[in-house]
Amino acid sequence: MAKTDKKVFLALHLLLLFYSLSSVLSKLAAGQPFLSFRFCLCYGGMFLILVLYALGWQQILKRLPLTVAFANKAVTLVWSLVFGALLFHEQIRLNQVIGCALAVLGVVLFVQPEKDEKEDQA
């Protein structure tokens, strides 16, 4: 993998981490009275994250094929599990860990042939 590819993948995963924060704000908003200040603050923050994510996503798509970028979105499952445990004290169950591991394995397997095709073309 070229150095620029590594930077793009790092940027993609940082963007996906940022994107997963929108679900945290959504869950926080759900616990507030409708249209209260905190509700609006959380939903406003969520909207801002989604706007910035959309802009960042377009930049990623300029540098990566859509199929590769979209397959990597599965990593948000891992972040959701982590945020749920750390911020909301949710219990992590074995089936959730297995599901996240399978999703990440699927991403790795999906991206792997793309890497091999680039080497064949070189």
Side-chain angles (χ1 to χ4, degrees):
M1 186 182 298
K3 189 175 184 178
T4 56
D5 287 346
K6 289 180 183 178
K7 287 182 181 180
V8 173
F9 273 101
L10 176 62
L12 171 62
H13 283 269
L14 288 174
L15 182 67
L16 293 172
L17 168 63
F18 182 67
Y19 168 72
S20 65
L21 291 173
S22 68
S23 62
V24 171
L25 290 176
S26 177
K27 185 166 183 161
L28 288 172
Q32 302 301 319
F34 184 63
L35 294 180
S36 68
F37 176 75
R38 287 186 181 184
F39 176 89
C40 292
L41 187 65
C42 289
Y43 262 85
M46 182 186 75
F47 182 74
L48 179 62
I49 286 173
L50 293 176
V51 167
L52 294 174
Y53 166 75
L55 295 172
W57 182 250
Q58 295 304 313
Q59 295 305 310
I60 293 295
L61 292 181
K62 288 181 182 179
R63 294 161 179 85
L64 283 178
L66 175 62
T67 54
V68 174
F70 195 76
N72 278 270
K73 283 187 82 169
V75 77
T76 58
L77 296 171
V78 176
W79 288 119
S80 296
L81 194 65
V82 169
F83 289 144
L86 293 178
L87 301 176
F88 301 107
H89 309 290
E90 295 174 352
Q91 185 178 5
I92 297 175
R93 296 185 306 268
L94 180 61
N95 62 342
Q96 292 170 316
V97 173
I98 291 170
C100 285
L102 287 173
V104 170
L105 180 63
V107 169
V108 170
L109 291 175
F110 182 80
V111 173
Q112 192 66 37
E114 184 76 23
K115 180 179 163 185
D116 293 341
E117 288 173 13
K118 284 184 179 180
E119 291 172 359
D120 290 341
Q121 293 173 357

